[in-house]
Amino acid sequence: EAQVTQNPRYLITVTGKKLTVTCSQNMNHEYMSWYRQDPGLGLRQIYYSMNVEVTDKGDVPEGYKVSRKEKRNFPLILESPSPNQTSLYFCASSLVIRQPQHFGDGTRLSIL
Amino acid sequence: KQEVTQIPAALSVPEGENLVLNCSFTDSAIYNLQWFRQDPGKGLTSLLLIQSSQREQTSGRLNASLDKSSGRSTLYIAASQPGDSATYLCAVWDAGNNRKLIWGLGTSLAVNP
């Protein structure tokens, strides 16, 4: 089954404790993206990747890192999480840029 | 700067009604426009994609139209069902910044039995 898998689905953690949200797709997609969704602000792009080893900043990259060492994986790293990063996070992928994106089920992060 | 607006923010209708969701964008220079559905606790599901050269796309009971010159798109849902209850989001691939989607805030739809 074609899917984008995010882990964990839920996480409560404390300020400053490094965490990684994994994202994996099984569709051989080139384009991958991370979003955060906040009430009243909608979906905002954090980082995107056009292909392996090619990543770039989106609208709100501060406090986040990504890597794309393999085509299928696109982890999101919070090196020193802060409460303002409490949000619902989505990973998405598409075959190439501008094609319909497939989304993961989301990761709800709470930073205390 | 491209902006996407969806009105209304919320809509409640009885089952069986035909309904229209609206999306407007400020800059007509787009590559395509996409409609998504978001269910609570789930990710987004792509519904329809309309290329900038197209006027409409249909999938089952859904029909999306695009009027690029006026900066508008509509999503028409025929014979609505309770299972259609979800948030519907509109997004455009902006030709000025063609590496990301520009999102609206969505319309929350409730279809009542």
Side-chain angles (χ1 to χ4, degrees):
Chain A
E1 179 190 352
Q3 59 186 3
V4 177
T5 304
Q6 292 179 232
N7 281 297
R9 291 291 315 279
Y10 305 91
L11 179 63
I12 301 174
T13 188
V14 296
T15 299
K17 186 176 180 182
K18 181 180 178 180
L19 67 92
T20 299
V21 184
T22 63
C23 174
S24 182
Q25 51 92 3
N26 62 0
M27 296 166 281
N28 202 36
H29 285 173
E30 291 186 356
Y31 183 87
M32 297 187 74
S33 184
W34 275 104
Y35 297 93
R36 59 178 290 176
Q37 187 176 38
D38 301 287
L41 297 176
L43 278 157
R44 293 179 292 170
Q45 190 180 53
I46 303 170
Y47 270 95
Y48 64 93
S49 170
M50 300 282 280
N51 213 325
V52 175
E53 301 291 1
V54 181
T55 63
D56 209 346
K57 297 176 181 178
D59 294 318
V60 289
E62 296 78 19
Y64 304 94
K65 285 177 57 177
V66 294
S67 67
R68 187 94 181 270
K69 294 184 172 59
E70 307 165 280
K71 202 169 190 178
R72 65 185 295 124
N73 295 324
F74 190 44
L76 179 70
I77 303 157
L78 286 71
E79 293 266 1
S80 183
S82 62
N84 65 10
Q85 293 177 298
T86 292
S87 187
L88 178 59
Y89 291 84
F90 289 104
C91 179
S93 73
S94 60
L95 186 60
V96 292
I97 194 171
R98 296 196 294 274
Q99 291 304 301
Q101 293 186 21
H102 297 250
F103 279 75
D105 284 341
T107 295
R108 187 165 291 281
L109 280 182
S110 293
I111 317 290
L112 305 177
Chain B
K1 179 186 172 187
Q2 179 75 267
E3 293 181 1
V4 178
T5 304
Q6 293 186 247
I7 295 172
L11 185 62
S12 181
V13 300
E15 182 177 3
E17 267 203 15
N18 301 323
L19 58 98
V20 173
L21 306 181
N22 296 297
C23 172
S24 61
F25 46 97
T26 53
D27 188 341
S28 61
I30 64 170
Y31 280 103
N32 62 46
L33 183 144
Q34 300 183 34
W35 283 94
F36 292 84
R37 168 185 173 140
Q38 184 175 18
D39 293 281
K42 288 282 192 179
L44 284 72
T45 301
S46 178
L47 296 175
L48 290 164
L49 182 152
I50 312 177
Q51 300 291 356
S52 62
S53 58
Q54 296 176 315
R55 295 299 299 265
E56 65 179 283
Q57 280 286 340
T58 298
S59 175
R61 294 183 294 110
L62 304 179
N63 176 277
S65 68
L66 175 63
D67 184 343
K68 214 171 61 161
S69 61
S70 67
R72 292 182 181 180
S73 176
T74 62
L75 179 67
Y76 175 83
I77 303 177
S80 59
Q81 304 170 357
D84 294 328
S85 298
T87 297
Y88 291 81
L89 294 112
C90 164
V92 300
W93 275 106
D94 183 37
N97 179 350
N98 63 1
R99 298 193 172 203
K100 65 174 184 178
L101 280 165
I102 312 294
W103 295 86
L105 293 181
T107 295
S108 177
L109 173 66
V111 180
N112 305 304

